[in-house]
Amino acid sequence: TTHTAASTGSGTSAPVAAAVVGLQGFGADAGVLGVLRDGRLIEGQLGSLTQRPGPDGGGTVKDLQGSSPRALFAVGGAGLRPRIWRVPTDGGALADEKLPASVPNQQLTAVWAVHDELVYAVGDQGALLERTGGAWSELPSADAGLRAVRAFGKGRVYAATIDGRVLRFEGTRWEELYRHPGPASFTDLTGSAVDDLWVVGHDGLVVHWLE
């Protein structure tokens, strides 16, 4: 569904016959790029969406995010093998990024591009990957599965965990910022600044973190 200042009611909708796990826009004239769970891409304007094929070798996609059309990434896995794909600008399928061989088997769950030259990805077994200089490197893992990531720069990486915590990676180690007092599992995290974070979870759980 799209909604603009000129829209009334709920806006204009167009169905896509599959689960959409990520959607990114770069201005009204540029349209949108989205990714389906099986790796197929959708792009265009509402009412004229087209599909691109899925990645070679298959895989399940969990998230899509980028700072510009030149730095747009999808993450997920093929079985237990972690995978990161770059979305090419030439209309092709998702292209595999080379990952360090040392990354433990797991599904990658979220990705965040601070800018075109600094990107982070996290996994459901705690993996943290950083992309600088066009290459991915492995950073120290968290002690729990990570569901979402929001980064503001090096040493300012925030993640929400499967067991209801908010963690911060400060450059060399992880520290706990918040632990939900009851049973909880966070599913997403965002924020406008390091002292203004929002986290959501199952059963309507919403947490606002003000440092």
Side-chain angles (χ1 to χ4, degrees), residues 67-165:
S67 54
S68 77
R70 299 175 301 280
L72 182 59
F73 297 90
V75 298
L80 293 178
R81 183 164 63 93
R83 296 183 73 177
I84 299 177
W85 302 274
R86 190 163 189 167
V87 180
T89 58
D90 62 0
L94 293 176
D96 264 299
E97 292 270 287
K98 184 178 181 180
L99 303 184
S102 60
V103 180
N105 284 342
Q106 61 196 285
Q107 290 264 323
L108 299 180
T109 54
V111 60
W112 188 269
V114 180
H115 51 71
D116 288 7
E117 300 301 323
L118 182 60
V119 188
Y120 291 94
V122 297
D124 63 8
Q125 300 299 315
L128 174 64
L129 302 174
E130 179 186 74
R131 189 181 194 272
T132 57
W136 290 94
S137 59
E138 183 184 8
L139 298 177
S141 295
D143 64 354
L146 304 178
R147 287 278 182 84
V149 63
R150 175 71 165 94
F152 300 91
K154 282 181 172 289
R156 295 185 295 164
V157 181
Y158 297 79
T161 72
I162 292 170
D163 61 0
R165 292 182 292 154

